[in-house]
Amino acid sequence: MMKYLDLKSINQHHDAELRAAIGEVLDSGWYLKGEATRRFEQHYAQFIGTRHCVACGNGLDALTLILRAYIQMGVMQPGDEVIVPANTYIASILAITECGLKPVLVEPRLDTAQIDDCRIEEAITPRTRALMLVHLYGICAYTERIADICQRHHLKLIEDNAQAHGCKMTQQALPSGAEGVAFTGSLGDAAGHSFYPGKNLGALGDAGAVTTNDDELADMVRAFGNYGSHQKYVHDYPGRNSRMDELQAALLDVKLQYLLEDNARRKEVADIYTRQIQNPLIRLLAPTADSVWHIFPVFCMRRNELRQYLFENGVETKIHYPIPPHHQRCYSQWNHLVLPVTERIHAEELSIPCHQAMTNEDVTLVVELLNRFQ
């Protein structure tokens, strides 16, 4: 059986370095808030292109800490609204509601599955304070129109970069006014990152981070994730425990060195899929150079049949995600909403294997199976 994502094979590529990193942490005798975490924070901030990287426990915490900090800073207050794509993974929305803020769901575009920037402005009200931009599947969701809307309406642009580590946006007019290339995670006011093991940059457990150029925000995020404390036993805010441990930081620092190389292989696999999958029953997203393909989705009205067919022929797949957020029981107040684009995406999406450990023979098999489906 071809696994959807073979984490064992992926990590074996760096086996000696990962084991050495673990050994260094064990030998150090220091397992939290130590040199390995400081080193990874410095390296990841340099990689992303921001002044600050604050490590934390996971991606959900990263988004939650950003919003908690903005509330503490007086930028927003409970009851304010945050625009978010309706088809995102539920963690984006959980962070918003956990802070007493109101998510405003905006439909995506069918051809990209990213938030539709033509629908954002109509969702803005006097209580709107931020747009949470989700780079879903590893595709850059940022557009100049989104930047312009946030600037004109004085909205914070918060990136959910959980699925897009190392995703480059090449554009002439970047948010900073610079020319050239920028990474997702540096395009807005702040970004939350997840290093869940299955991500393009994955730890061997839960881990996350916040990146930003805002000194005050970074300082407050760090305090909130450390029990609301800058100094041991002195607590300025009602914080929480959300810290990356030294082992995860050391492992991530090793894997960061290979992220662009690994992403390049994912892009090679995705390029073959894009060129060679030709079946009228299967729809692909519009081709884009700005994707690192954390997930390669195909869309089929007979999704469950397609999934069973691939399984019977030795290929494991996943569904991202079977139930849209507005149909979840935990948000029963939204269950009456009709969001046709989101609902179609969630009903048709099937994720096929796409990662750096795949061989060309693996890729060819997946293509041939998809093209034979009828």
Side-chain angles (χ1 to χ4, degrees):
M1 176 68 68
M2 183 192 304
K3 292 183 178 181
Y4 169 71
L5 183 63
D6 191 347
L7 290 179
K8 184 176 180 180
S9 293
I10 287 172
N11 288 321
Q12 280 179 338
H13 282 288
H14 316 299
D15 185 80
E17 290 174 90
L18 293 174
R19 291 181 185 276
I22 292 171
E24 288 179 12
V25 172
L26 287 174
D27 291 343
S28 76
W30 196 283
Y31 308 125
L32 272 174
K33 298 182 66 180
E35 181 56 34
T37 302
R38 285 191 291 271
R39 184 168 58 243
F40 173 70
E41 288 178 333
Q42 178 184 0
H43 290 166
Y44 195 61
Q46 290 173 347
F47 176 85
I48 291 293
T50 56
R51 283 202 301 274
H52 303 283
C53 169
V54 182
C56 63
N58 54 69
L60 173 56
D61 279 1
L63 296 173
T64 304
L65 291 169
I66 291 168
L67 295 172
R68 287 279 302 275
Y70 275 138
I71 291 172
Q72 187 67 39
M73 292 163 63
V75 173
M76 49 186 81
Q77 60 185 14
D80 284 343
E81 297 171 354
V82 178
I83 292 173
V84 65
N87 63 317
T88 186
Y89 179 56
I90 201 166
S92 314
I93 298 170
L94 289 172
I96 298 169
T97 57
E98 184 175 333
C99 293
L101 301 165
K102 180 182 177 182
V104 177
L105 306 180
V106 171
E107 286 260 67
R109 286 175 48 171
L110 190 62
D111 64 335
T112 66
Q114 306 303 308
I115 193 169
D116 189 340
D117 59 8
C118 294
R119 297 174 181 253
I120 292 173
E121 207 148 14
E122 65 191 35
I124 296 173
T125 76
R127 294 300 301 271
T128 307
R129 296 292 178 268
L131 165 62
M132 185 175 287
L133 189 64
V134 184
H135 304 296
L136 199 63
Y137 308 143
I139 299 171
C140 180
Y142 175 90
T143 66
E144 289 185 356
R145 183 171 189 162
I146 286 173
D148 177 65
I149 289 170
C150 289
Q151 184 176 15
R152 286 190 289 106
H153 293 274
H154 307 290
L155 305 181
K156 292 295 183 184
L157 180 57
I158 302 168
E159 295 175 82
D160 182 339
N161 200 49
Q163 298 187 6
H165 310 125
C167 180
K168 293 181 182 179
M169 188 198 71
T170 306
Q171 199 163 308
Q172 290 187 342
L174 297 173
S176 63
E179 302 275 330
V181 175
F183 283 104
T184 57
S186 69
L187 305 176
D189 296 285
H193 307 255
S194 167
F195 304 118
Y196 179 80
K199 304 298 186 182
N200 289 37
L201 180 59
L204 270 65
D206 273 321
V210 172
T211 55
T212 184
N213 287 318
D214 186 326
D215 298 344
E216 182 182 5
L217 179 69
D219 187 62
M220 199 157 289
V221 164
R222 190 175 297 281
F224 267 118
N226 186 40
Y227 299 100
S229 171
H230 289 294
Q231 179 183 347
K232 196 167 186 178
Y233 303 133
V234 178
H235 303 274
D236 300 314
Y237 316 108
R240 64 197 304 167
N241 177 12
S242 181
R243 300 175 298 198
M244 182 186 294
D245 66 66
E246 288 284 279
L247 279 172
Q248 302 305 337
L251 296 168
L252 286 167
D253 205 43
V254 169
K255 297 178 78 174
L256 178 60
Q257 302 171 59
Y258 301 97
L259 178 59
L260 294 182
E261 176 185 327
D262 291 342
N263 283 348
R265 176 54 183 165
R266 285 176 177 262
K267 290 180 180 183
E268 289 176 356
V269 174
D271 182 60
I272 295 172
Y273 284 157
T274 300
R275 289 186 289 104
Q276 296 187 11
I277 295 173
Q278 297 180 358
N279 185 329
L281 299 176
I282 296 171
R283 179 176 63 86
L284 306 182
L285 294 179
T288 174
D290 296 331
S291 177
V292 292
W293 299 111
H294 168 61
I295 293 168
F296 192 98
V298 300
F299 300 86
C300 180
M301 293 179 67
R302 291 160 49 204
R303 187 258 311 279
N304 293 340
E305 290 180 53
L306 176 60
R307 189 181 193 199
Q308 182 63 28
Y309 159 79
L310 290 171
F311 178 79
E312 290 173 355
N313 284 277
V315 176
E316 183 184 35
T317 59
K318 301 291 183 183
I319 298 174
H320 297 93
Y321 302 96
I323 305 172
H326 69 286
H327 284 170
Q328 297 286 353
R329 186 182 303 172
C330 64
Y331 292 120
S332 58
Q333 68 271 27
W334 294 338
N335 289 173
H336 69 283
L337 294 178
V338 177
L339 300 171
V341 180
T342 293
E343 289 161 18
R344 180 176 173 184
I345 288 172
H346 284 261
E348 296 182 1
E349 194 277 342
L350 184 67
S351 304
I352 61 177
C354 183
H355 56 83
Q356 62 269 32
M358 293 183 74
T359 66
N360 287 342
E361 290 74 20
D362 292 334
V363 181
T364 298
L365 173 61
V366 175
V367 170
E368 290 177 349
L369 288 172
L370 288 171
N371 286 342
R372 288 204 301 262
F373 178 73
Q374 57 186 5

